[in-house]
Amino acid sequence: MSGERGNGANPFEVYRNTIVSLPWLRGPKAERLLFGELLRGAGEDTRPYFDLLILDEAHHIAPSAPKQRYAVDSQQTKTMRELAKHFTHRLFLSATPHNGYPESFTALLEILDPARFARGVAPSQEAQDEVVIRRLKSTITGSDGKPEFPERKVRDLRLEYAEGEIDVHRWFSEFTQARRSRRVKSRRGRAAADLVTLLLKKRLLSSPQAFANTYETYAGALPAAPAVASDEVPEFYDEVWDEEATLDDDELYDFEDEHLRRSASHQERLDPTERELLSRINDWARKHLSAPDTKATRLLDCLGEVCKAGDDWTNERVVVFTEYRDTLHWLQDLLDSRGFGRDRVALLHGGMDIDEREQIRLAFQADPADHPVRVLLATDAAGEGIDLQNHCHRLVNYDIPFNPNKLEQRAGRIDRYGQRHSPEVYNFVPAPTAGDSAFLGEIEFLARVAAKVSQMQTDLGSVNPVLAEGLQRRLAGGTTVGDVETLAQQATARGKKAGEVKAAANVSEQVERLGEQYENSVDELHLHPERIRRVVDTALDLAHQMPLKPRLTAYGNPATEFDVPVMTGEWVRATKNLVAPFTPEGQEPHQRPVTFDPLVAQGRDDVVSAHLSHPLVDMSSRLLRAAADSDRVDLHRVTAVVGPDDLEDMFVAAYAKYTVTGGGSTQLHQEIMAVGGWLDACTGRFRRENLTRTGLILEAALDKGTEE
């Protein structure tokens, strides 16, 4: 293994628990550290280097939906298949494990457990049930029988379009129909025309700013000469939407612009009428670069109603999602002009570094009394893995992505564990009086798809291809696409046929049983708060560090919270992350106390839970384990304790470590055993006690006894 530290360090060598991203695994550093030096050092016959691989958003490593008989591995698929070999246990997490294609699903299962599953071979239901568990939020209940997750609600934001905007909708409908009615002769030309129509419409549906920027790119790419007719359709036309679903806002804009330019050279040239229609729409868009259109005005009014009461700010917060960063900045400027100063609005997008994004998240999660931010404008870069539910239960889809998975990922930012209110998801819908153009019908179609996705209880991975394909055909001008209910039924039927992952039954019973197992493990291993604290107290004493200082709180006596002193040497690492991650304006950064009781830390940000993997507890337990095997550590090997109970005589006990090893001195099992008995003070005779009674006596003495 590498001996490097700092930026060149191998994280798997330095830390017991390591979190890395899939993009990092695709990079050259991972190639050198993992698939070069590290894995070459592990021969075929040696055991894995690691214990547990936890892969979140596991659907990203499954081969994409196949356009031919076999799904083709992506680089991420190949990387994870190689890495997974070196872990004893694997846990894959995903809300959408099945994309509707058995080829992709079985490839994912094979990486999870190659001994049980084979790629391309339909798994038996029994084998799948043993390793795949899917639970729905609606089935998770607490000890009181009530749902742990409040029911999600979908709201409409009605749009009463102005006359000029209705004209824009009509113009784009005419443009779409004109492109369709010309029936371009070549297959490549038709594919290019449909893609251009879709991309222009996506940007117009997002914001005037997004459309104006896109029109400029498109107009500059239009060819002077007619395109060469061809029935050969480049492969990228079939893969655009699958690939787009994996991109953040920065990559998405460049990706779409590149395909817009390529398609402009493949399609048949625009006729004068089509050019005139697009030019009119662009003129309208440019007039609204500094003024809100109908949708923006409705959003501004909604945010004002929720976040402001006259001149006073409420404690309510709202997160607004859009696909495009230029729409994000356009909305920020509009909010600023409406009195939402820059301290009231925060942005979260893919162009920020990790630290900056984390500070924004912490500010939005902080108590509204501690931070003035009320509105978070976010792209889908914030759509995965970010908690926003502490003080926010309202989310607005400013535009609707073509991929339903993105919609569910967005909703998951506020509809997650710890949410105390019913999450509300808002979509824009034309009012009945808004007109009857095809464009308006498509806006309503998008809103209904979004609402249906929010309400469906099925596996969205298998639903996605059907809904996405229907969206694309409808927005490209297709007139044979069924309504949303019909598409949803087709998607559900397809998922069942493809063998989607079924939701587990009796979830409450499973949770209750797991809870009992956990409590039994805590009791059996004596992982009670006072025991863990004594381990830390003893280790700090052995390491010549200052002791923990009990903090007087309203949570009871004895103390449940402790201030950690200034550490020296390697023990400085034990205080990592104790400083409050977010400091209200005007206050100095401060170090939070620790607690060894998880119930004390539950729902609080002002105290840190010192769990078994926390550096303070981890370093303490390591030191005591080393001390037990070394006479160089100042640890008493013999201790006299006055127990809390009246014992019939002096009780003597000894601890021993029992270890079983296999070939090559591989440790197979390790156990700490205690034996003891009664020592007659008069005769000096020893009478052995059984192991159960010995354990009970020692537990009482160590928990409540006093050292002599």
Side-chain angles (χ1 to χ4, degrees):
M1 291 187 185
S2 170
E4 294 180 274
R5 291 295 183 266
N7 291 334
N10 186 334
F12 295 95
E13 180 186 5
V14 178
Y15 301 104
R16 296 179 65 197
N17 304 314
T18 306
I19 300 175
V20 298
S21 66
L22 286 174
W24 185 88
L25 284 174
R26 295 198 305 264
K29 187 173 181 180
E31 178 73 22
R32 175 173 60 85
L33 295 177
L34 288 178
F35 304 104
E37 179 180 354
L38 179 59
L39 297 187
R40 277 199 302 270
E44 289 293 327
D45 299 327
T46 60
R47 65 189 179 95
Y49 274 91
F50 312 112
D51 295 322
L52 175 63
L53 169 66
I54 301 177
L55 176 63
D56 197 13
E57 306 295 349
H59 53 273
H60 286 316
I61 70 151
S64 60
K67 299 298 184 295
Q68 55 282 332
R69 183 173 180 181
Y70 298 104
V72 178
D73 286 353
S74 66
Q75 184 181 349
Q76 288 186 160
T77 307
K78 297 174 183 176
T79 299
M80 193 54 61
R81 178 177 286 113
E82 182 62 34
L83 184 62
K85 297 176 183 177
H86 298 270
F87 288 82
T88 305
H89 307 286
R90 299 159 200 161
L91 176 62
F92 288 4
L93 308 173
S94 172
T96 55
H98 202 312
N99 63 6
Y101 293 91
E103 298 87 351
S104 296
F105 184 55
T106 54
L108 183 63
L109 289 177
E110 184 185 51
I111 299 174
L112 179 69
D113 188 346
R116 187 180 269 114
F117 303 103
R119 180 174 183 160
V121 178
S124 68
Q125 193 60 51
E126 293 77 14
Q128 184 173 313
D129 290 343
E130 288 179 358
V131 299
V132 181
I133 301 174
R134 178 169 178 253
R135 299 188 176 102
L136 301 176
K137 289 178 179 177
S138 58
T139 64
I140 307 296
T141 58
S143 57
D144 57 0
K146 295 181 179 179
E148 288 282 355
F149 296 89
E151 183 180 0
R152 185 188 303 176
K153 298 178 181 179
V154 180
R155 310 288 195 196
D156 289 344
L157 289 175
R158 290 289 178 179
L159 299 175
E160 295 280 359
Y161 289 105
E163 186 65 32
E165 219 161 331
I166 293 176
D167 290 338
V168 170
H169 299 160
R170 187 179 69 255
W171 296 335
F172 206 101
S173 296
E174 292 174 4
F175 171 79
T176 302
Q177 186 59 32
R179 298 299 289 161
R180 277 265 164 171
S181 63
R182 290 176 65 186
R183 304 311 303 168
V184 179
K185 296 179 181 179
S186 71
R187 290 180 61 244
R188 185 170 68 180
R190 289 196 295 272
D194 282 350
L195 183 58
V196 167
T197 299
L198 283 170
L199 293 177
L200 289 172
K201 189 173 292 186
K202 273 190 73 178
R203 302 291 177 88
L204 182 59
L205 287 167
S206 184
S207 70
Q209 180 74 66
F211 181 85
N213 292 349
T214 302
Y215 177 81
E216 184 177 345
T217 299
Y218 177 60
L222 287 172
V228 177
S230 172
D231 282 335
E232 181 181 349
V233 180
E235 193 174 281
F236 75 83
Y237 283 114
D238 289 329
E239 300 176 349
V240 166
W241 307 112
D242 284 341
E243 190 169 349
E244 185 186 71
T246 67
L247 305 177
D248 66 20
D249 55 277
D250 196 21
E251 298 168 318
L252 175 66
Y253 211 94
D254 292 340
F255 177 82
E256 289 189 351
D257 276 2
E258 173 61 24
H259 282 74
L260 197 67
R261 284 188 287 266
R262 293 172 70 180
S263 298
S265 63
H266 289 168
Q267 68 170 21
E268 190 169 318
R269 287 186 298 174
L270 301 180
D271 64 23
T273 300
E274 292 166 344
R275 284 181 178 273
E276 172 64 19
L277 289 169
L278 282 185
S279 179
R280 287 186 207 166
I281 298 171
N282 185 55
D283 290 342
W284 170 85
R286 300 198 69 80
K287 290 178 183 177
H288 285 81
L289 295 184
S290 58
D293 60 358
T294 299
K295 185 169 69 168
T297 299
R298 184 69 182 90
L299 174 68
L300 295 172
D301 291 342
C302 175
L303 295 179
E305 293 166 5
V306 172
C307 301
K308 297 183 74 174
D311 294 331
D312 298 324
W313 293 93
T314 70
N315 286 335
E316 300 297 325
R317 285 183 170 142
V318 182
V319 56
V320 180
F321 271 103
T322 176
E323 281 202 284
Y324 299 114
R325 198 184 304 175
D326 43 9
T327 299
L328 203 72
H329 291 296
W330 180 70
L331 288 174
Q332 182 188 33
D333 292 338
L334 293 178
L335 282 166
D336 194 25
S337 69
R338 286 290 189 95
F340 282 77
R342 297 301 169 107
D343 61 337
R344 300 291 178 177
V345 180
L347 303 186
L348 203 57
H349 55 74
M352 296 176 166
D353 61 43
I354 294 176
D355 291 339
E356 187 179 7
R357 291 171 63 178
E358 178 64 6
Q359 286 303 307
I360 295 295
R361 185 193 71 82
L362 290 170
F364 198 74
Q365 284 281 77
D367 192 306
D370 293 333
H371 199 283
V373 66
R374 293 296 181 268
V375 179
L376 179 65
L377 301 177
T379 65
D380 289 306
E384 289 188 0
I386 294 181
D387 299 336
L388 300 173
Q389 80 282 8
N390 275 3
H391 302 281
C392 176
H393 65 280
R394 295 183 180 90
L395 180 150
V396 178
N397 286 312
Y398 195 74
D399 47 29
I400 307 297
F402 287 4
N403 189 317
N405 288 344
K406 285 188 176 182
L407 286 166
E408 187 60 22
Q409 290 286 358
R410 290 178 179 183
R413 299 317 96 214
I414 62 169
D415 187 1
R416 58 196 305 111
Y417 188 75
Q419 177 60 262
R420 296 179 290 274
H421 305 278
S422 292
E424 298 179 4
V425 177
Y426 291 82
N427 303 308
F428 292 96
V429 180
T433 58
D436 60 355
S437 72
F439 192 87
L440 284 173
E442 290 159 3
I443 296 175
E444 184 161 8
F445 186 82
L446 280 166
R448 295 303 166 222
V449 168
K452 177 56 66 175
V453 168
S454 293
Q455 296 163 347
M456 292 188 79
Q457 294 279 314
T458 189
D459 185 345
L460 279 181
S462 56
V463 169
N464 173 26
V466 175
L467 289 180
E469 182 182 352
L471 272 174
Q472 293 156 24
R473 286 192 289 118
R474 173 69 180 259
L475 296 180
T479 57
T480 60
V481 179
D483 59 23
V484 174
E485 286 298 329
T486 301
L487 283 177
Q489 292 170 8
Q490 293 172 354
T492 302
R494 171 180 172 165
K496 291 179 179 178
K497 183 178 180 180
E500 69 174 7
V501 181
K502 297 179 181 178
N506 302 319
V507 173
S508 297
E509 295 178 10
Q510 296 175 21
V511 172
E512 184 176 352
R513 184 171 65 252
L514 290 172
E516 291 175 356
Q517 292 177 1
Y518 171 78
E519 294 298 333
N520 291 338
S521 297
V522 168
D523 290 336
E524 183 179 347
L525 299 173
H526 311 295
L527 300 176
H528 304 293
E530 63 275 8
R531 284 286 188 94
I532 299 174
R533 180 184 60 80
R534 288 186 64 179
V535 167
V536 173
D537 285 341
T538 304
L540 292 180
D541 185 33
L542 288 174
H544 307 292
Q545 302 291 328
M546 297 291 290
L548 300 176
K549 182 179 180 181
R551 175 179 281 204
L552 297 178
T553 68
Y555 291 94
N557 190 22
T560 57
E561 299 176 21
F562 303 85
D563 287 316
V564 179
V566 176
M567 299 287 190
T568 60
E570 66 175 1
W571 282 83
V572 171
R573 185 168 67 86
T575 63
K576 185 180 181 181
N577 297 331
L578 292 185
V579 175
F582 174 75
T583 304
E585 190 174 349
Q587 298 184 19
E588 293 294 326
H590 64 282
Q591 180 172 293
R592 295 171 293 174
V594 299
T595 180
F596 301 97
D597 189 340
L599 295 179
V600 173
Q602 189 171 1
R604 296 175 59 190
D605 297 325
D606 60 335
V607 64
V608 176
S609 176
H611 47 77
L612 295 182
S613 294
H614 188 278
L616 180 63
V617 179
D618 180 53
M619 292 182 67
S620 298
S621 59
R622 284 185 178 217
L623 176 59
L624 291 189
R625 284 197 298 269
D629 294 329
S630 173
D631 57 4
R632 294 192 295 272
V633 179
D634 186 19
L635 183 68
H636 297 298
R637 293 301 188 276
V638 179
T639 299
V641 177
V642 177
D645 301 320
D646 293 331
L647 301 179
E648 58 187 81
D649 214 328
M650 182 182 296
F651 190 81
V652 179
Y655 287 96
K657 183 166 66 174
Y658 172 66
T659 303
V660 178
T661 59
S665 299
T666 301
Q667 181 178 298
L668 302 178
H669 177 74
Q670 189 176 88
E671 186 176 346
I672 301 297
M673 304 180 64
V675 294
W678 304 98
L679 183 63
D680 190 312
C682 297
T683 65
R685 297 183 63 182
F686 178 79
R687 176 169 53 87
R688 186 172 178 177
E689 183 59 88
N690 67 63
L691 295 179
T692 301
R693 175 65 175 155
T694 295
L696 293 174
I697 293 173
L698 290 175
E699 285 178 28
L702 294 175
D703 281 340
K704 302 176 182 178
T706 57
E707 187 176 354
E708 286 291 291

PDB file of all heavy atoms in Angstrom, residues 101-114:
ATOM      1  N   TYR A 101     -35.544  -3.344 -17.504  1.00  0.00           N
ATOM      2  CA  TYR A 101     -34.820  -4.257 -18.382  1.00  0.00           C
ATOM      3  C   TYR A 101     -34.139  -5.332 -17.533  1.00  0.00           C
ATOM      4  O   TYR A 101     -33.228  -5.036 -16.753  1.00  0.00           O
ATOM      5  CB  TYR A 101     -33.783  -3.509 -19.208  1.00  0.00           C
ATOM      6  CG  TYR A 101     -34.399  -2.566 -20.213  1.00  0.00           C
ATOM      7  CD1 TYR A 101     -34.647  -1.242 -19.880  1.00  0.00           C
ATOM      8  CD2 TYR A 101     -34.760  -3.016 -21.487  1.00  0.00           C
ATOM      9  CE1 TYR A 101     -35.228  -0.373 -20.796  1.00  0.00           C
ATOM     10  CE2 TYR A 101     -35.339  -2.162 -22.406  1.00  0.00           C
ATOM     11  CZ  TYR A 101     -35.569  -0.839 -22.059  1.00  0.00           C
ATOM     12  OH  TYR A 101     -36.144   0.003 -22.955  1.00  0.00           O
ATOM     13  N   PRO A 102     -34.560  -6.595 -17.641  1.00  0.00           N
ATOM     14  CA  PRO A 102     -33.954  -7.666 -16.838  1.00  0.00           C
ATOM     15  C   PRO A 102     -32.449  -7.763 -17.033  1.00  0.00           C
ATOM     16  O   PRO A 102     -31.716  -8.137 -16.112  1.00  0.00           O
ATOM     17  CB  PRO A 102     -34.671  -8.931 -17.351  1.00  0.00           C
ATOM     18  CG  PRO A 102     -35.972  -8.438 -17.899  1.00  0.00           C
ATOM     19  CD  PRO A 102     -35.668  -7.082 -18.483  1.00  0.00           C
ATOM     20  N   GLU A 103     -31.958  -7.427 -18.246  1.00  0.00           N
ATOM     21  CA  GLU A 103     -30.514  -7.511 -18.499  1.00  0.00           C
ATOM     22  C   GLU A 103     -29.727  -6.601 -17.556  1.00  0.00           C
ATOM     23  O   GLU A 103     -28.673  -6.975 -17.041  1.00  0.00           O
ATOM     24  CB  GLU A 103     -30.215  -7.130 -19.954  1.00  0.00           C
ATOM     25  CG  GLU A 103     -30.848  -8.055 -20.980  1.00  0.00           C
ATOM     26  CD  GLU A 103     -32.268  -7.647 -21.342  1.00  0.00           C
ATOM     27  OE1 GLU A 103     -32.830  -6.756 -20.676  1.00  0.00           O
ATOM     28  OE2 GLU A 103     -32.823  -8.232 -22.285  1.00  0.00           O
ATOM     29  N   SER A 104     -30.251  -5.392 -17.324  1.00  0.00           N
ATOM     30  CA  SER A 104     -29.574  -4.458 -16.437  1.00  0.00           C
ATOM     31  C   SER A 104     -29.697  -4.904 -14.980  1.00  0.00           C
ATOM     32  O   SER A 104     -28.740  -4.820 -14.201  1.00  0.00           O
ATOM     33  CB  SER A 104     -30.167  -3.051 -16.594  1.00  0.00           C
ATOM     34  OG  SER A 104     -29.950  -2.554 -17.888  1.00  0.00           O
ATOM     35  N   PHE A 105     -30.887  -5.370 -14.609  1.00  0.00           N
ATOM     36  CA  PHE A 105     -31.132  -5.750 -13.217  1.00  0.00           C
ATOM     37  C   PHE A 105     -30.285  -6.945 -12.807  1.00  0.00           C
ATOM     38  O   PHE A 105     -29.687  -6.971 -11.723  1.00  0.00           O
ATOM     39  CB  PHE A 105     -32.624  -6.054 -13.036  1.00  0.00           C
ATOM     40  CG  PHE A 105     -33.014  -6.362 -11.621  1.00  0.00           C
ATOM     41  CD1 PHE A 105     -32.726  -5.482 -10.591  1.00  0.00           C
ATOM     42  CD2 PHE A 105     -33.693  -7.528 -11.317  1.00  0.00           C
ATOM     43  CE1 PHE A 105     -33.095  -5.757  -9.282  1.00  0.00           C
ATOM     44  CE2 PHE A 105     -34.068  -7.820 -10.018  1.00  0.00           C
ATOM     45  CZ  PHE A 105     -33.773  -6.933  -8.996  1.00  0.00           C
ATOM     46  N   THR A 106     -30.209  -7.972 -13.674  1.00  0.00           N
ATOM     47  CA  THR A 106     -29.414  -9.142 -13.309  1.00  0.00           C
ATOM     48  C   THR A 106     -27.928  -8.813 -13.259  1.00  0.00           C
ATOM     49  O   THR A 106     -27.185  -9.407 -12.473  1.00  0.00           O
ATOM     50  CB  THR A 106     -29.653 -10.293 -14.308  1.00  0.00           C
ATOM     51  OG1 THR A 106     -29.405  -9.832 -15.647  1.00  0.00           O
ATOM     52  CG2 THR A 106     -31.080 -10.797 -14.205  1.00  0.00           C
ATOM     53  N   ALA A 107     -27.481  -7.857 -14.076  1.00  0.00           N
ATOM     54  CA  ALA A 107     -26.082  -7.428 -14.003  1.00  0.00           C
ATOM     55  C   ALA A 107     -25.802  -6.763 -12.664  1.00  0.00           C
ATOM     56  O   ALA A 107     -24.732  -6.957 -12.062  1.00  0.00           O
ATOM     57  CB  ALA A 107     -25.763  -6.468 -15.146  1.00  0.00           C
ATOM     58  N   LEU A 108     -26.759  -5.979 -12.156  1.00  0.00           N
ATOM     59  CA  LEU A 108     -26.609  -5.339 -10.842  1.00  0.00           C
ATOM     60  C   LEU A 108     -26.594  -6.391  -9.739  1.00  0.00           C
ATOM     61  O   LEU A 108     -25.777  -6.333  -8.808  1.00  0.00           O
ATOM     62  CB  LEU A 108     -27.745  -4.344 -10.627  1.00  0.00           C
ATOM     63  CG  LEU A 108     -27.721  -3.526  -9.333  1.00  0.00           C
ATOM     64  CD1 LEU A 108     -26.490  -2.629  -9.289  1.00  0.00           C
ATOM     65  CD2 LEU A 108     -28.986  -2.682  -9.201  1.00  0.00           C
ATOM     66  N   LEU A 109     -27.487  -7.384  -9.825  1.00  0.00           N
ATOM     67  CA  LEU A 109     -27.529  -8.441  -8.818  1.00  0.00           C
ATOM     68  C   LEU A 109     -26.243  -9.260  -8.818  1.00  0.00           C
ATOM     69  O   LEU A 109     -25.769  -9.687  -7.764  1.00  0.00           O
ATOM     70  CB  LEU A 109     -28.726  -9.366  -9.080  1.00  0.00           C
ATOM     71  CG  LEU A 109     -30.116  -8.789  -8.811  1.00  0.00           C
ATOM     72  CD1 LEU A 109     -31.189  -9.805  -9.189  1.00  0.00           C
ATOM     73  CD2 LEU A 109     -30.272  -8.375  -7.359  1.00  0.00           C
ATOM     74  N   GLU A 110     -25.662  -9.467  -9.992  1.00  0.00           N
ATOM     75  CA  GLU A 110     -24.427 -10.247 -10.079  1.00  0.00           C
ATOM     76  C   GLU A 110     -23.289  -9.555  -9.340  1.00  0.00           C
ATOM     77  O   GLU A 110     -22.474 -10.208  -8.681  1.00  0.00           O
ATOM     78  CB  GLU A 110     -24.051 -10.471 -11.538  1.00  0.00           C
ATOM     79  CG  GLU A 110     -22.824 -11.358 -11.717  1.00  0.00           C
ATOM     80  CD  GLU A 110     -22.408 -11.457 -13.164  1.00  0.00           C
ATOM     81  OE1 GLU A 110     -22.265 -10.393 -13.807  1.00  0.00           O
ATOM     82  OE2 GLU A 110     -22.217 -12.588 -13.645  1.00  0.00           O
ATOM     83  N   ILE A 111     -23.220  -8.230  -9.444  1.00  0.00           N
ATOM     84  CA  ILE A 111     -22.180  -7.497  -8.713  1.00  0.00           C
ATOM     85  C   ILE A 111     -22.425  -7.605  -7.215  1.00  0.00           C
ATOM     86  O   ILE A 111     -21.487  -7.732  -6.426  1.00  0.00           O
ATOM     87  CB  ILE A 111     -22.167  -6.021  -9.158  1.00  0.00           C
ATOM     88  CG1 ILE A 111     -21.847  -5.917 -10.644  1.00  0.00           C
ATOM     89  CG2 ILE A 111     -21.151  -5.219  -8.348  1.00  0.00           C
ATOM     90  CD1 ILE A 111     -21.964  -4.512 -11.198  1.00  0.00           C
ATOM     91  N   LEU A 112     -23.697  -7.579  -6.823  1.00  0.00           N
ATOM     92  CA  LEU A 112     -24.035  -7.690  -5.407  1.00  0.00           C
ATOM     93  C   LEU A 112     -23.677  -9.052  -4.836  1.00  0.00           C
ATOM     94  O   LEU A 112     -23.097  -9.159  -3.750  1.00  0.00           O
ATOM     95  CB  LEU A 112     -25.541  -7.423  -5.220  1.00  0.00           C
ATOM     96  CG  LEU A 112     -26.085  -7.520  -3.797  1.00  0.00           C
ATOM     97  CD1 LEU A 112     -25.549  -6.383  -2.954  1.00  0.00           C
ATOM     98  CD2 LEU A 112     -27.608  -7.491  -3.815  1.00  0.00           C
ATOM     99  N   ASP A 113     -23.985 -10.115  -5.563  1.00  0.00           N
ATOM    100  CA  ASP A 113     -23.730 -11.468  -5.065  1.00  0.00           C
ATOM    101  C   ASP A 113     -23.500 -12.407  -6.253  1.00  0.00           C
ATOM    102  O   ASP A 113     -24.422 -13.066  -6.736  1.00  0.00           O
ATOM    103  CB  ASP A 113     -24.919 -11.950  -4.230  1.00  0.00           C
ATOM    104  CG  ASP A 113     -24.625 -13.267  -3.518  1.00  0.00           C
ATOM    105  OD1 ASP A 113     -23.630 -13.926  -3.868  1.00  0.00           O
ATOM    106  OD2 ASP A 113     -25.400 -13.647  -2.619  1.00  0.00           O
ATOM    107  N   PRO A 114     -22.249 -12.494  -6.754  1.00  0.00           N
ATOM    108  CA  PRO A 114     -21.968 -13.334  -7.933  1.00  0.00           C
ATOM    109  C   PRO A 114     -22.135 -14.825  -7.673  1.00  0.00           C
ATOM    110  O   PRO A 114     -22.251 -15.595  -8.625  1.00  0.00           O
ATOM    111  CB  PRO A 114     -20.516 -12.981  -8.266  1.00  0.00           C
ATOM    112  CG  PRO A 114     -19.934 -12.462  -6.984  1.00  0.00           C
ATOM    113  CD  PRO A 114     -21.062 -11.775  -6.274  1.00  0.00           C
TER     114      PRO A 114
END
